[in-house]
């Protein structure tokens, strides 16, 4: 059994929330057994500390490191605050890690940075060798003057070495070096580590510290991470196998010495899918062909055979997949095309094979890889020697590696071959790309969860646990659920018996009028701000414009949301219209008066795109013994999780109160007659039990009664 009393020394506040102590104890026991944990806790129940406190105690006892990760920017800031609070009570060594791009003083890519470091290190080492040889030369000169016969010959050899080193240094000084990294290697930087662990430093603070002193903060941080108690990072540091290997090495830990904690873990599935997906555009293929034409390599001709045939196959597959008039509608964003077939290889592969006329695909892919590697090494050397100002990468190497994977993995059930097209803004030309889309994310996550000591995955919306464990490849995890422990009389959740807002019905004027009137009533009867979530930004804009209120805020795709959020919460009685699939639907708190009501309009199914169909198809094939596995795993469960996340934007503390409204017949009991489209039973039982069905014309009275009972109105309540 774990020392369940000892871990509370890491708890930084006076007393835990309701259920928090039990959660910490159960997680401590699970970690002691090496068992993964799935923790679902309602917003405001202290999930982060519930996981972090026992994880840190376990790591301290077992000489391990805790890595806590999120893909939500605001949560990263919360982790820093929690880590600082813990450090004020129990000394811990913690680092907050971001990628090189956010901390580099030169704004160069990964390969350029690597080359710069290697050249800089070679220069510093050569300068050290020069100093040592100069000292030996001076010492031998004294011996020569003293009449030692062997000293003259020895000094002559040293002078020869010194001249060679001088030439090497002259050559290196004319090459590309990083002065910030050079300062790291040549100056005393011990003060940095003392400063780093005086507090929990953010990457921005580290950058400023290093910039002021002409140092490279990114490299200093990497060197100072070894054996820390806690590391805070983004998802990609764990989900990308290559980055993860480097990251653990910087920590000085084997995977078995790491405990991972994933926040907002309902996002791990999609994040893992994105990290494993690979693409290759026609532009890269064209670049590879141009590179091979210029290459002075006897293998280039045969390498060209396979690259040119794949480009021809891609162009042919794209042309065939585009419907009548579809090419003219293609914009600057990638437009997906499905080239997969149920009974044979995909259309791109078939077109590639038809176009290929070489001497063996596998052989010529290998030759293309060899040529690409040789060219890449030459580009590396040219950059290191200062012959080029940027570090060029070989498109042949990129193209050959992708084609090799395409041919090897195109029939993998977890990979889905796709194509896409976009319009070049400069030339107006439409060109394509091939994509190996990872439909089943466990191929990415299963190895991670198998190799680390244990993992805690937490979110307000993880259930159903069996599906999550299945999708991510977790074996027999412990499961914990903590709902809202706050007074039930301070919240209401209404399922409104309005129209079922299928996409085909959204243009109906009568439907729009009903929805707009219901929204207006909710907003009017709420003593405070109202959040309104829709299936898309277009629907949010539609109802924002229909209501036409002066204090209505519209969140639009691609616009910064933090300033919008600040302006909205400064109001009283305002409404914010946004998409459920945007950034305000999760990870953003609207505490207390910031929002007193939230409305989810419709069932926000994602657009049934080609890639979503690919995910459905993959789940159906992998779980062919389960009825509607594709629909449930790929569509229904992610949609309900999104809905539950939106509902969680209000009721954030024991003293909070508010109303949650689900505006669509499919949430009601009557919606159960609609087959798989009725979603009421997809909610967890305790949340389903709180749903109160109400007619559209009764919503304003229901809300009025709730807030009046709490004496929430400032003065007389509005008239229904």
């Amino acid at each position: 059994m774990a020392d369940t009393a000892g871990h509370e020394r890491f708890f930084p506040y006076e007393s835990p929330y309701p259920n928090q102590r039990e959660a910490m104890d159960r997680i401590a026991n699970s970690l002691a057994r090496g068992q993964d944990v799935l923790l679902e806790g309602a917003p405001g129940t202290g999930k982060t500390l519930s996981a972090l406190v026992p994880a840190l105690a376990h790591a301290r006892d077992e000489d391990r490191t805790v890595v806590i990760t999120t893909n939500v920017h605001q949560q990263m800031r919360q982790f820093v605050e929690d880590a600082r609070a813990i450090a004020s009570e129990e000394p811990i060594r913690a680092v907050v890690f971001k990628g090189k791009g956010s901390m580099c003083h030169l704004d160069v890519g990964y390969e350029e940075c690597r080359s710069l470091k290697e050249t800089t290190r070679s220069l510093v080492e050569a300068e050290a060798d020069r100093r040592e040889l100069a000292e030996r030369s001076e010492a031998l000169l004294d011996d020569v003057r003293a009449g030692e016969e062997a000293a003259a010959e020895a000094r002559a050899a040293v002078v020869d070495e010194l001249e060679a080193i001088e030439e090497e240094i002259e050559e290196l000084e004319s090459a590309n070096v990083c002065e910030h990294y050079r300062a790291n290697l040549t100056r005393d930087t011990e003060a940095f580590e003392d400063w780093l662990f005086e507090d929990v430093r953010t990457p921005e603070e580290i950058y400023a510290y290093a910039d002021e002193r002409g140092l490279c903060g990114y490299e200093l941080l990497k060197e100072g991470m070894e054996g820390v108690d806690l590391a805070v990072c983004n998802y990609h540091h764990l989900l990308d196998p290559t980055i993860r290997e480097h990251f653990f090495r910087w920590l000085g830990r084997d995977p078995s010495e790491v405990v991972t904690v994933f926040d907002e873990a309902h996002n791990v599935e999609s994040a893992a899918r994105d990290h494993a997906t690979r693409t290759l555009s026609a532009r890269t293929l064209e670049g590879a062909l141009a590179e091979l034409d210029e290459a002075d390599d006897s293998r280039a001709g045969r390498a060209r055979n396979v690259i040119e045939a794949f480009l021809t196959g891609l162009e042919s597959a794209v042309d065939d997949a585009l419907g009548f008039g579809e090419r003219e509608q293609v914009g600057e964003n990638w437009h997906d095309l499905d080239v997969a077939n149920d009974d044979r290889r995909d259309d791109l592969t078939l077109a590639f094979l038809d176009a290929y006329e070489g001497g063996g695909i596998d052989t010529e892919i290998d030759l293309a890889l060899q040529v690409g590697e040789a060219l890449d090494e030459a580009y590396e050397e040219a950059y290191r020697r200062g012959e080029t100002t940027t570090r060029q990468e070989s498109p042949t190497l990129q193209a050959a590696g992708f084609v090799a994977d395409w041919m090897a993995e195109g029939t993998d059930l977890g990979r889905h071959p796709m194509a896409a097209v976009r319009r070049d803004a400069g030339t107006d030309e439409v060109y394509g790309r091939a994509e190996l889309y990872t439909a089943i994310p466990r191929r990415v996550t299963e190895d991670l969860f198998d190799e680390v000591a244990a993992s805690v995955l937490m979110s307000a919306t993880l259930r159903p646990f069996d599906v999550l464990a299945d999708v991510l490849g977790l074996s027999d995890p412990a499961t914990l659920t903590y709902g809202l422990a706050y007074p039930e009389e301070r919240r209401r959740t209404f399922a409104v018996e309005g129209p079922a807002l299928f996409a085909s019905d959204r243009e109906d004027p009568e439907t729009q009028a009903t929805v707009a009137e219901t929204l207006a009533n909710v907003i009017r009867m709420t003593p405070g701000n109202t959040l309104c979530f829709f299936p898309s930004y277009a629907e949010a804009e539609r109802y924002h414009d229909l209501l036409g209120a002066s204090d209505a805020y519209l969140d639009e795709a691609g616009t910064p949301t933090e300033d919008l959020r600040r302006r909205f919460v400064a109001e009283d009685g305002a409404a914010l219209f946004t998409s459920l699939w945007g950034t305000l639907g999760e990870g953003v708190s609207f505490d207390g008066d910031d929002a007193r009501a939230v409305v989810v309009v419709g069932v926000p199914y994602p657009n049934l795109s080609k890639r979503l169909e690919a995910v459905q198809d993959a789940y159906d094939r992998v779980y062919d013994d389960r009825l509607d596995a594709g629909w449930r795993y790929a569509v229904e469960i992610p949609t309900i999780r999104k809905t539950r996340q939106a509902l969680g934007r209000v009721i954030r503390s024991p003293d909070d109160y508010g109303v949650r409204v689900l505006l669509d017949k499919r949430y009601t009991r009557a919606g159960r007659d609609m087959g798989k489209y009725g979603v009421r039973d997809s909610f967890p039982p305790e949340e389903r039990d709180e749903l109160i069905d109400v007619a559209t014309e009764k919503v304003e009275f229901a809300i009025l009664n709730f807030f009046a009972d709490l004496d929430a109105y400032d003065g007389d309540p509005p008239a229904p």
Side-chain angles (χ1 to χ4, degrees):
M1 293 288 287
D3 179 7
T4 57
H7 62 247
E8 288 198 19
R9 69 188 186 276
F10 289 94
F11 191 81
Y13 305 116
E14 185 174 346
S15 61
Y17 285 139
N19 297 322
Q20 202 171 32
R21 178 173 283 110
E22 179 189 341
M24 290 189 291
D25 291 347
R26 292 181 62 186
I27 291 172
N29 285 327
S30 297
L31 295 178
R33 295 192 297 267
Q35 185 179 24
D36 298 323
V37 179
L38 300 180
L39 168 62
E40 179 175 293
T45 54
K47 293 184 294 297
T48 300
L49 288 177
S50 294
L52 193 52
V53 165
L56 284 170
H58 171 83
R60 179 69 57 84
D61 293 342
E62 301 294 333
D63 189 22
R64 291 171 172 168
T65 291
V66 177
V67 177
I68 187 167
T69 180
T70 184
N71 68 337
V72 179
H73 183 65
Q74 290 215 7
Q75 286 301 107
M76 183 76 77
R77 293 201 296 267
Q78 183 61 50
F79 291 166
V80 173
E81 291 179 15
D82 287 336
R84 284 174 172 164
I86 291 170
S88 68
E89 298 296 321
E90 179 72 16
I92 61 170
R93 297 168 74 245
V95 295
V96 184
F97 196 82
K98 282 188 178 179
K100 185 193 71 64
S102 65
M103 298 182 69
C104 182
H105 302 265
L106 302 181
D107 192 26
V108 296
Y110 173 78
E111 291 297 333
E112 289 175 306
C113 180
R114 184 174 60 83
S115 296
L116 285 171
K117 286 193 301 181
E118 289 178 0
T119 306
T120 304
R121 190 182 298 110
S122 296
L123 174 60
V124 170
E125 290 172 353
E127 289 173 333
D129 289 344
R130 180 175 62 183
R131 288 192 297 272
E132 182 182 344
L133 288 169
E135 290 172 2
R136 287 173 58 192
S137 176
E138 287 297 320
L140 288 168
L141 181 59
D142 290 341
D143 292 342
V144 170
R145 289 168 177 163
E148 294 186 19
E149 296 181 7
E153 185 176 345
R155 184 173 184 273
V158 169
V159 169
D160 288 342
E161 286 187 60
L162 193 56
E163 289 176 354
I165 284 289
E166 291 284 4
E167 291 179 5
E168 181 184 351
I169 289 174
E170 184 178 349
E171 183 177 333
L172 288 168
E173 285 179 333
S174 66
N176 290 310
V177 297
C178 175
E179 293 300 332
H180 290 82
Y181 185 57
R182 186 176 186 178
N184 285 16
L185 298 176
T186 57
R187 288 163 47 188
D188 182 1
T189 59
E190 287 186 8
F192 170 78
E193 189 163 324
D194 294 336
W195 170 84
L196 178 65
F197 294 119
E198 284 174 358
D199 196 356
V200 180
R201 307 294 187 181
T202 65
E204 292 76 19
E205 290 171 327
I206 294 169
Y207 179 93
Y209 176 99
D211 192 52
E212 184 179 329
R213 294 161 177 79
L215 300 166
C216 175
Y218 179 71
E219 291 299 322
L220 287 175
L221 179 59
K222 282 166 51 178
E223 293 167 8
M225 288 170 59
E226 186 168 353
V228 295
D229 301 295
L230 174 66
V232 181
C233 66
N234 296 316
Y235 273 5
H236 68 268
H237 292 109
L238 295 182
L239 295 180
D240 185 296
T242 302
I243 296 176
R244 181 169 73 242
E245 182 180 350
H246 291 314
F247 189 61
F248 286 176
R249 187 172 69 248
W250 300 332
L251 290 173
R253 297 294 192 185
D254 290 330
S256 61
E257 298 172 319
V258 174
V259 176
T260 62
V261 179
F262 282 84
D263 183 61
E264 303 295 347
H266 60 281
N267 291 320
V268 172
E269 176 182 354
S270 60
R273 195 175 279 127
D274 291 342
H275 275 86
T277 293
R278 296 191 59 196
T279 61
L280 175 69
S281 80
R283 291 287 187 263
T284 303
L285 289 161
E286 292 163 356
L289 293 175
E291 183 180 55
L292 289 170
D293 286 342
E294 296 294 324
D296 183 17
D297 192 307
S298 61
R299 299 164 294 186
R302 295 191 65 187
R304 199 182 200 285
N305 290 338
V306 73
I307 301 298
E308 186 173 34
F310 197 84
L311 175 59
T312 301
L314 174 59
E315 293 172 340
S316 176
V318 164
D319 286 341
D320 291 345
L322 284 167
F324 178 75
E326 194 173 359
R327 179 180 290 272
E328 289 69 30
Q329 298 176 23
V330 172
E332 295 178 16
N333 296 321
W334 287 109
H335 173 66
D336 288 338
L337 302 169
D338 193 359
V339 295
N341 296 303
D342 293 334
D343 56 349
R344 60 191 186 280
R345 285 296 297 262
D346 60 275
D347 292 338
L348 195 162
T349 301
L350 296 175
F352 166 48
L353 296 174
D354 185 59
Y356 178 72
E357 296 180 348
I361 288 177
D362 291 343
T363 298
E364 293 189 339
I365 287 176
D366 286 342
L367 290 172
L369 285 168
Q370 293 171 25
V371 174
E373 288 167 355
L375 290 167
D376 208 58
E377 290 172 3
Y379 298 147
E380 168 87 4
E381 184 62 23
Y383 181 70
R384 289 187 62 189
R385 295 171 66 89
E387 296 168 6
T388 58
T389 57
T390 59
R391 202 287 192 188
Q392 185 177 346
E393 295 185 29
S394 169
T396 299
L397 182 59
Q398 297 173 42
F402 181 89
V403 175
D405 286 347
W406 182 276
M407 297 306 293
E409 301 184 19
T411 57
D412 188 322
L413 286 179
R415 295 276 203 182
H416 188 85
M418 296 188 68
V421 289
R422 68 180 296 186
R423 188 174 300 277
D424 188 302
T427 65
D428 201 42
E429 179 187 357
V430 173
Y431 66 98
R433 76 174 181 190
E435 178 176 347
L436 272 174
Y437 180 59
T438 299
I440 305 295
R442 69 180 297 159
R443 65 180 299 126
V444 180
T445 56
E446 190 167 21
D447 287 346
L448 165 63
F449 294 130
D450 282 347
E451 67 184 21
V452 298
S455 297
V456 181
L457 288 79
M458 57 186 183
S459 169
T461 55
L462 284 187
R463 286 180 287 177
F465 291 134
D466 61 329
V467 172
L468 186 77
D470 206 2
V471 166
L472 299 182
L474 292 158
S475 178
D476 192 29
T479 59
L480 290 72
T481 303
Y482 296 98
L484 280 174
Y486 313 140
E488 190 173 337
E489 61 270 16
R490 299 181 69 82
R491 64 181 182 271
R492 288 289 185 276
T493 309
F494 298 116
V496 179
E497 297 168 349
L501 297 173
F502 291 104
S504 58
D505 298 324
R506 292 174 189 163
E507 301 298 327
D508 179 60
E510 186 176 341
T511 295
Q512 292 177 16
T514 300
V515 172
E517 182 180 3
T518 306
L519 279 172
N521 287 335
V522 173
I523 295 167
R524 183 169 55 87
M525 303 307 294
T526 298
N529 292 339
T530 302
L531 294 165
C532 303
F533 290 99
F534 297 84
S536 67
Y537 284 107
E539 285 294 288
E541 184 176 10
R542 181 204 300 277
Y543 286 98
H544 171 270
D545 294 347
L546 280 173
L547 267 64
S550 59
D551 53 358
Y553 290 79
L554 177 63
D555 178 24
E556 299 178 273
T559 59
T561 57
E562 182 54 29
D563 179 62
L564 175 67
R565 190 196 71 83
R566 282 197 299 266
R567 288 188 288 119
F568 169 68
V569 301
E571 297 281 354
D572 183 18
L576 175 60
F577 293 71
T578 186
S579 167
L580 199 79
W581 299 97
T583 58
L584 292 173
E586 61 179 86
V588 180
S589 293
F590 293 88
D591 302 319
D593 292 333
D594 290 353
R596 288 297 179 198
V598 57
V599 187
V600 175
V601 180
V603 179
Y605 291 126
N607 291 328
L608 296 180
S609 62
K610 297 294 183 184
R611 62 189 60 240
L612 183 59
E613 291 174 6
V615 175
Q616 284 187 252
D617 180 62
Y619 281 131
D620 279 333
R621 285 183 288 141
V622 170
Y623 303 110
D624 59 359
D625 59 333
R626 304 181 192 179
L627 183 64
D628 284 333
W631 171 265
R632 186 164 184 257
Y633 281 31
V635 180
E636 180 183 279
I637 290 172
T639 296
I640 297 304
R641 283 185 180 138
K642 277 289 184 184
T643 303
R644 295 175 63 211
Q645 282 285 331
L647 295 181
R649 295 314 93 203
V650 299
I651 319 295
R652 309 286 296 185
S653 70
D655 297 327
D656 210 350
Y657 60 91
V659 162
R660 290 95 65 88
V661 179
L662 296 165
L663 179 46
D664 192 297
K665 177 184 177 181
R666 288 170 286 181
Y667 293 111
T668 69
R669 289 186 178 86
R672 288 169 169 158
D673 297 333
M674 304 175 73
K676 70 178 184 180
Y677 297 107
V679 297
R680 188 185 188 95
D681 291 335
S682 299
F683 286 82
E686 73 280 6
E687 294 180 17
R688 184 167 65 241
D689 291 344
E690 287 194 25
L691 294 178
I692 300 171
D693 289 357
V694 59
T696 53
E697 64 272 16
K698 299 293 185 182
V699 170
E700 56 184 327
F701 298 99
I703 295 176
L704 170 64
N705 292 337
F706 171 75
F707 285 120
D709 287 345
L710 292 176
D711 197 22
Y713 294 109
D714 185 12
D716 293 332

